[in-house]
Amino acid sequence: ILLAVLLCLQVILCTKVNDLGGNVKGGGKSSAAADKVVEEIRAKGGKAVANYDSVEDGEKLIQTALDAFGRIDLIHRVHLRGSFMVTRAAWNHMKKQKFGRIIMTTSAAGIYGNFGQANYSAAKLGLLGLANTLAIEGRKYNIFCNTVAPLAGSRLTETIMPPDIVESLKPEYVAPLVLWLCHEQCQENGGLFEVGAGWIGKLRWERSQGRTVRQKNQPMTPEAVRDQWDKICDFTDAAKITNIQGHACVHITEKCLHKNHTVDAVAEAVGQKLPPTTFSFTHTQCILYALGVGMSTKDPDHLRFLYEGHQDFSCLPTFGVIPSQAAMMDGGLSSIPGLNIDFTQSNLNATIADVLDKGSGAVILLDVNTYSGDELVCYNQFSVFVVGAGGFGGRRTSEKAKAPVPPPKRAPDAVVIDSTTRDQAALYRLSGDWNPLHIDPSFAAMGGFKAPILHGLCSFGFAARHVLKQFADNDPSRFKAIKVRFVKPVMPGQSLQTEMWKEGNRIHIQCKVTTFISTSFVQGGGLQSELVFAEISRRIKDLGPELVKKVNAVFGWEITKDGKNVAEWTIDLKNGSGSLHQGPYSGKADVTITVSDENFMEVVQGKLNPQKAFFSGKLKVRGNIMLSQKLEVILKDHARL
C-alpha cells in the first residue's frame, strides 16, 4: 500500500512515502518498495522520507511527515480503517494550518460492486462516504477531500494482466490528477473521479423523478408499486444529486402536495374549515414564551411579563401565535378536499383563505381565529409554502393576503440591538414548536443548514417586543396588529438589530442580523462603527447597572462620513439600567463627541490615540470634556471590540 503525504512548497515536492512492502497476499514486510519510491522522488529534485509503519499507526505516519516537513497534505491509498486512522491523525494539524487536501482511493469494485469482492467493495465504498463527509466538515477550514478510483498497474495486477496493458496503465497516468487535486489552487471538493491510462472522468449521482404510489386514505400496497415500476425506474429528466439536500427524504417532502392538482380541485379547498382545536394555558406558558423571545430579569421593564405576581402582569401580544402553532402540530390540512397533502399542520378554528400557484411551489393562506368562549382573542394569517406543489394553473396573488408595507426610505427613528443566546431555539421550542429543524443538527443538515436555526416566530417575537418597549411603553393594550415577512434564517447566538420608523400610529420595522467581529471590521457601504455600537449594546445589556454606577453620564456620538453627519448614537449610563439609542435623543447628553467613522474605528482599535485625535481636530468634544475619560469603562475590558 502506497501512502503519499504531499506538501507543495513553492516548486519543491516534499513527500512522505509509506509502504509495508507486503506480498500480494498481504503478508511479509520489506522497506524496499517505499525506499524505491523515495529514491525516484529525490532523483526528480523533490524531498521525500520513508515510513514503514502500518497505516493503523496513523499517529506515527503523520509524525514522520511533520518531523520532516512541518506541515502536511494527504493522499490515501489505503482501505477504510487505515484511511480513517491516518486522516484522524492529520485532521487537527490541517485545521491548525488552515489548509489540507485529502485524496481517498476507492475502486470500481466499491462503486459498482464486483463478484467475489464483498468485503473489499464494502471498504472501498465506505471510503467514499468518509470522503464525502470530510469534504463537508473540512470546507470551512480550507480542507478539501476528493475521491479517485484509479486503474493502474501494480504488483497486484502485473501477474494477471498482459505486459502491454500494464504498460498503458502506469501510475504516471494517475498521479497528475492526484497532484492537481492536492494543489492549493484547486477548489474541487467532494468529487469522485475515475482515472486510468490518461483518461479522467467525473461521476455523479442521478435519481429518477419517481412516482408516488400511495393514495389518500388508502393503504400503500405492493401491487401499486408493481404497477408503477417502469415509471419509478425511468431516468428521463433525472435529477442530478450533489448533496444531502437532494436526498430522497428532502425530495419526499417536496412531493407531499402532489403536482397533479387541478384548479377545480384547489378551488374546492378554498373556504374549507380545519377541525377546531382547544388550547389551554396558564401564566406559566406566558412566562415561558417571554423567556423564549429574549426577555430577562436583567431589564426591570421585563418583570411584568416574567412575574405572575407583578401588579401589571401581562402576556406579550405576540403570544397569540402560540395557540395557532400548537393546533397546527395536531394535523388538519390533510383532511381538506382538493389538497392531497400529508404533513401534520392544522390550526385553531382555521380556514383555507386561498391557495396560490407560485410555479415552484404552492402557498396556502390560512386564516386562524382564536376564541375564548365567544370572544375573539386574536386573529392570525399564516402563509404556508409547500415546495414542489405548484404548476397547477392557479393564481399567483390573492386579495385575501395581508401584505406587509415597505418601510420609509429614510433613516430609522429608533434602533434596538438585542442578543439571542446559543440556547434560544432550545428554550423557544418549549412553547410548542417542536420542529427538529431547530434542535437536531442532523435534521438541520437535511434542510441545508450547518446547524439548527432559530424559529422564525422567535425572531418575530424579539422584533415585536422591541416595538412594544420603544413606542408603547410595554403596554400590550396599545398593540393592535403586526404583519411580517420572513426573509432569511437566524442562528441561535446571533444578535438582532430592529430598525423602526414611526409614521402616525403605524410603526414600520425591519429586523436583521448584526455580526460582531473581534479583530477586523467589515468593509463596504455601511458604517463600520455600527458593529462597535452593537457590541456596546450587548455590553450594556449584560452589565448595565454596574456601568451606570461607575459612569453616571450620558454620551452623545455624532458619526461623520465625507464631512457629513451620517449617524447619531446616545449611550445613556445615567438612567435606569443603561441603554443605547440610535437617532435623535429626547434627553440631553452630558458630553457629545463628533468623529468620522474611520477615525472612530482607529481609536477603538488602539491605532489612534484619543488625545492626539482631539488636539489634531479629528475628534471634537462638546460639554463636560472630563467625562470622556470614563469612556474607557465602556470600550475596554469586558469584551473585545
Side-chain angles (χ1 to χ4, degrees):
I1 301 170
L2 173 65
L3 170 71
V5 183
L6 301 179
L7 170 67
C8 295
L9 291 176
Q10 299 176 355
V11 296
I12 300 175
L13 178 64
C14 302
T15 308
K16 156 130 176 4
V17 180
N18 169 262
D19 198 322
L20 284 173
N23 57 34
V24 295
K25 295 182 179 179
K29 184 174 182 180
S30 171
S31 64
D35 290 339
K36 182 179 179 181
V37 177
V38 168
E39 291 173 5
E40 291 176 358
I41 293 172
R42 290 175 177 172
K44 296 293 185 181
K47 294 182 179 180
V49 62
N51 177 275
Y52 317 112
D53 293 303
S54 166
V55 292
E56 289 197 335
D57 295 325
E59 292 288 349
K60 294 180 180 179
L61 277 126
I62 297 306
Q63 193 58 51
T64 301
L66 289 172
D67 292 343
F69 310 124
R71 48 183 283 164
I72 51 178
D73 294 336
L74 239 59
I75 295 179
H76 294 289
R77 303 281 178 88
V78 294
H79 299 334
L80 187 57
R81 180 168 174 77
S83 298
F84 167 74
M85 296 296 290
V86 175
T87 304
R88 184 172 66 174
W91 191 257
N92 286 334
H93 300 293
M94 288 181 167
K95 286 175 62 176
K96 184 177 181 180
Q97 69 189 24
K98 291 184 172 57
F99 178 84
R101 296 293 185 264
I102 302 174
I103 311 298
M104 294 293 182
T105 306
T106 187
S107 74
I111 300 171
Y112 308 109
N114 195 28
F115 182 83
Q117 290 188 295
N119 55 350
Y120 179 77
S121 298
K124 285 300 186 181
L125 191 58
L127 277 173
L128 179 59
L130 174 62
N132 289 341
T133 296
L134 293 177
I136 295 170
E137 294 182 352
R139 184 184 297 118
K140 65 180 179 180
Y141 303 111
N142 193 28
I143 302 173
F144 296 163
C145 185
N146 293 283
T147 306
V148 298
L151 183 58
S154 69
R155 297 197 300 270
L156 294 175
T157 60
E158 63 185 10
T159 59
I160 59 174
M161 287 185 177
D164 56 335
I165 297 296
V166 175
E167 178 66 19
S168 67
L169 297 177
K170 290 181 178 180
E172 289 91 324
Y173 301 144
V174 174
L177 168 64
V178 172
L179 289 171
W180 166 242
L181 292 173
C182 287
H183 199 279
E184 60 185 9
Q185 292 181 4
C186 181
Q187 296 300 298
E188 183 70 31
N189 189 30
L192 171 61
F193 300 88
E194 287 185 312
V195 54
W199 174 88
I200 301 171
K202 184 175 183 180
L203 284 75
R204 68 184 181 193
W205 296 97
E206 285 191 348
R207 182 186 59 226
S208 70
Q209 289 295 322
R211 284 295 183 274
T212 301
V213 299
R214 172 180 51 81
Q215 298 298 320
K216 180 176 172 61
N217 298 326
Q218 295 181 14
M220 181 174 170
T221 66
E223 289 79 12
V225 177
R226 175 200 62 199
D227 295 342
Q228 296 288 337
W229 191 248
D230 289 344
K231 293 180 179 179
I232 291 171
C233 300
D234 183 1
F235 275 81
T236 303
D237 299 324
K240 279 50 172 197
I241 310 303
T242 59
N243 53 45
I244 199 168
Q245 284 72 56
H247 184 261
C249 186
V250 179
H251 181 69
I252 288 169
T253 64
E254 297 174 356
K255 296 297 182 183
C256 286
L257 182 50
H258 301 172
K259 278 192 170 184
N260 59 1
H261 297 318
T262 64
V263 175
D264 291 339
V266 170
E268 183 185 359
V270 176
Q272 294 286 335
K273 295 183 180 296
L274 276 66
T277 306
T278 300
F279 178 82
S280 300
F281 68 97
T282 67
H283 62 271
T284 302
Q285 283 77 21
C286 297
I287 295 171
L288 191 61
Y289 173 78
L291 292 170
V293 297
M295 289 202 136
S296 168
T297 55
K298 292 180 181 178
D299 190 332
D301 293 340
H302 292 178
L303 201 58
R304 68 179 295 176
F305 300 102
L306 299 175
Y307 174 42
E308 71 282 3
H310 193 281
Q311 61 180 2
D312 295 319
F313 178 70
S314 303
C315 186
L316 283 169
T318 50
F319 179 78
V321 302
I322 297 301
S324 300
Q325 276 277 290
M328 287 173 69
M329 297 300 173
D330 293 335
L333 278 176
S334 59
S335 67
I336 299 301
L339 296 181
N340 293 320
I341 62 176
D342 185 29
F343 54 87
T344 55
Q345 291 196 351
S346 67
N347 286 293
L348 190 67
N349 288 353
T351 303
I352 305 292
D354 214 339
V355 180
L356 307 180
D357 186 353
K358 295 296 185 177
S360 62
V363 171
I364 303 174
L365 293 180
L366 299 172
D367 284 345
V368 188
N369 292 290
T370 303
Y371 293 90
S372 176
D374 295 330
E375 179 187 0
L376 179 64
V377 177
C378 65
Y379 159 79
N380 285 275
Q381 184 179 86
F382 291 93
S383 298
V384 180
F385 186 82
V386 186
V387 178
F392 54 85
R395 294 178 297 111
R396 293 185 61 86
T397 59
S398 174
E399 69 281 358
K400 299 176 183 178
K402 309 294 183 183
V405 181
K409 294 183 178 180
R410 58 179 175 83
D413 297 317
V415 176
V416 174
I417 300 170
D418 214 345
S419 299
T420 67
T421 69
R422 180 70 181 270
D423 296 319
Q424 201 72 58
L427 180 58
Y428 181 84
R429 69 190 299 269
L430 300 180
S431 289
D433 190 339
W434 304 104
N435 190 336
L437 177 66
H438 307 293
I439 191 71
D440 186 344
S442 60
F443 195 90
M446 290 177 59
F449 302 102
K450 294 181 179 180
I453 62 174
L454 191 62
H455 303 71
L457 287 176
C458 179
S459 53
F460 159 76
F462 268 77
R465 66 174 179 78
H466 292 162
V467 175
L468 187 68
K469 180 175 181 178
Q470 190 71 29
F471 294 101
D473 195 28
N474 278 332
D475 182 358
S477 67
R478 298 175 61 188
F479 197 101
K480 180 180 180 181
I482 183 171
K483 168 70 180 182
V484 301
R485 180 171 63 91
F486 299 102
V487 180
K488 293 182 179 180
V490 176
M491 307 305 293
Q494 290 183 320
S495 291
L496 298 172
Q497 177 173 308
T498 304
E499 300 170 344
M500 294 164 274
W501 295 261
K502 187 177 189 300
E503 294 200 336
N505 63 349
R506 169 176 282 173
I507 309 298
H508 300 265
I509 65 172
Q510 178 174 283
C511 189
K512 57 188 179 183
V513 171
T514 297
T515 304
F516 302 116
I517 302 177
S518 61
T519 57
S520 61
F521 295 87
V522 174
Q523 304 292 329
L527 297 176
Q528 301 177 67
S529 54
E530 289 182 356
L531 298 172
V532 178
F533 285 109
E535 171 62 22
I536 291 173
S537 174
R538 184 168 66 172
R539 188 171 302 174
I540 292 174
K541 182 178 179 181
D542 292 340
L543 302 164
E546 179 184 339
L547 292 174
V548 168
K549 186 176 180 180
K550 289 182 178 180
V551 178
N552 191 32
V554 177
F555 298 91
W557 290 87
E558 295 174 346
I559 305 299
T560 68
K561 195 169 186 178
D562 299 326
K564 299 179 180 178
N565 278 16
V566 292
E568 295 181 17
W569 296 86
T570 304
I571 303 173
D572 185 349
L573 294 177
K574 179 183 284 187
N575 304 300
S577 57
S579 59
L580 175 71
H581 305 268
Q582 184 180 17
Y585 181 60
S586 57
K588 182 179 180 181
D590 296 306
V591 58
T592 301
I593 301 170
T594 303
V595 63
S596 72
D597 185 57
E598 180 181 1
N599 288 332
F600 178 84
M601 299 306 297
E602 294 276 320
V603 170
V604 169
Q605 297 178 80
K607 297 178 180 179
L608 177 62
N609 181 281
Q611 193 175 37
K612 291 183 179 179
F614 174 73
F615 286 116
S616 64
K618 293 182 178 180
L619 186 150
K620 300 177 181 178
V621 182
R622 303 193 307 271
N624 188 345
I625 191 172
M626 299 305 295
L627 287 174
S628 60
Q629 298 178 27
K630 294 189 176 183
L631 284 172
E632 185 177 12
V633 176
I634 306 171
L635 300 175
K636 197 176 179 182
D637 295 336
H638 303 298
R640 291 184 302 169
L641 292 173

